[in-house]
Amino acid sequence: MKKSVFLGAMTVAGLAAGAAAAGTLDDVKARGTLNCGVTTGLVGFAAPDANGVWDGFDVGVCRAVAAAVLGDPMAVEFVPTTGQTRFTALASGEIDLLARNTTWTFSRDVDLKFEFVGVNYYDGQGFMVPRELGVSSAQDLDGATVCIQTGTTTELNLADYFRSNDISYEPVPIETNAEAQQQYLAGACDVYTTDASGLAATRATFENPGDHVLLPEIVSKEPLGPLVRHGDNEWADVARWTLNALITAEELGVTSANIAELSAGTNNPEINRLLGTEGELGAMLGLEADWAKNALMAGGNYGELFEANIGESTPIGLARGLNAMWTEGGLIYSPPFR
Ligand SMILES: N[C@@H](CCC(=O)N[C@@H](CS)C(=O)NCC(=O)O)C(=O)O
């Protein structure tokens, strides 16, 4: 009797520790699919295409991880999440990985107990207004109504910015980007504020993007990256080094076009370790030797993913800026593959 009570308590403690204790890497392998939390839809970052297939820069992270672990970039169950629901989805084990323009902050790490495995987009918060308002600076927004997504850093930064500049505003709280877009275009708010990349992505879907301006002020740091649960270290390693593989591949010039040729072996030892023809990096992660090759074949290296989904040749038109490689004056940098 005593023993069964003790075992019962153990089970509850085990559950409370979440899926992390069991090891998400094993769970994903056993399930054969990756449950990846994304946005409810933000074109360029994560949205279903005309055929209902999820596509985008954050989706590319999910597909790379699925390819690294399961050898199949399509073995992903996409779970749409809002600013509010994303953290519960991850904490409860409903998703294995959250790849949803989520800002790495102190409290999300330390208090909510998540582990950010890197940064895939260095961003900052901006403001969009209709051109006809004639506003040219955020300083001119005194008294404005502002559409803002709840459960986001945006909400907190907005309060900080207006307070420290001694200007007032009226928040119009909304749940999703689609709703924000609708409300903003209907004139329910004068201003839409969110991550600058999100503003560019949203504006690109407008009928007349030129009727809307992004104000020059960037009022925060928003390092956006994928995250997992605390204490799930092997799984965190897989996600972290998959992202690092995409970054290192760009640095080393490994692309979709040459990867088949390079994975036959090269005279560059780091390329060989990355692509699994030398060393045991895959086995150290609990994966096949060609894990990074599979991840790269899913959508190309970091720069290819950027250009194809959100880069200057897309309607979203984002410059690399801070997201250029460190060798090009940006912040994108991976530790070495050795
Ligand atoms: N980076 C901020 C904001 C993230 C956020 O919610 N961004 C919006 C606008 S870019 C979004 O992704 N919306 C997509 C959706 O509603 O599903 C955070 O982590 O709190």
Side-chain angles (χ1 to χ4, degrees), residues 19-20 23-25 27-28 31 33-39 46 54 56-70 72-73 75-82 85-102 113-120 224-230 232-244 246 295 305:
T24 302
L25 177 57
D27 291 349
V28 172
R31 197 190 304 130
T33 51
L34 169 73
N35 294 332
C36 207
V38 288
T39 64
W54 282 85
F57 186 67
D58 285 334
V59 163
V61 173
C62 301
R63 294 210 188 280
V65 171
V69 177
L70 303 165
D72 179 3
V76 185
E77 188 73 50
F78 289 97
V79 179
T81 65
T82 68
T85 63
R86 59 186 154 170
F87 298 122
T88 338
L90 183 58
S92 70
E94 183 190 355
I95 56 176
D96 305 307
L97 175 71
L98 180 64
R100 184 205 179 278
N101 48 36
T102 293
K113 307 207 179 308
F114 295 124
E115 175 138 347
F116 286 81
V117 300
V119 174
N120 70 334
L224 311 176
L227 55 151
V228 299
R229 288 174 287 274
H230 257 186
D232 202 355
N233 297 27
E234 289 176 6
W235 179 240
D237 284 348
V238 166
R240 173 179 301 111
W241 287 95
T242 300
L243 177 59
N244 284 335
L246 304 180
L305 274 174

Side-chain angles (χ1 to χ4, degrees), residues 39-42 81-83 86-87 100-103 108 149 151-154 175-178 192 194-195 197-199 222 224:
T39 64
T40 56
L42 183 65
T81 65
T82 68
R86 59 186 154 170
F87 298 122
R100 184 205 179 278
N101 48 36
T102 293
T103 307
R108 289 170 178 178
Q149 264 186 259
T152 60
T153 49
T154 322
E175 275 279 314
T176 65
N177 194 59
Y192 182 30
T194 185
D195 300 339
S197 66
L199 291 178
E222 307 290 332
L224 311 176

Side-chain angles (χ1 to χ4, degrees), residues 197-285:
S197 66
L199 291 178
T202 303
R203 184 172 66 167
T205 66
F206 290 177
E207 210 171 309
N208 297 307
D211 291 353
H212 303 270
V213 288
L214 304 187
L215 300 180
E217 288 87 357
I218 297 291
V219 301
S220 67
K221 288 185 291 185
E222 307 290 332
L224 311 176
L227 55 151
V228 299
R229 288 174 287 274
H230 257 186
D232 202 355
N233 297 27
E234 289 176 6
W235 179 240
D237 284 348
V238 166
R240 173 179 301 111
W241 287 95
T242 300
L243 177 59
N244 284 335
L246 304 180
I247 294 170
T248 294
E250 179 177 12
E251 181 177 342
L252 297 176
V254 178
T255 68
S256 305
N258 63 19
I259 190 163
E261 186 191 331
L262 297 179
S263 53
T266 72
N267 60 7
N268 179 326
E270 192 167 21
I271 292 181
N272 296 347
R273 286 192 294 273
L274 176 70
L275 299 180
T277 54
E278 233 173 277
E280 297 290 333
L281 299 189
M284 291 176 200
L285 279 175

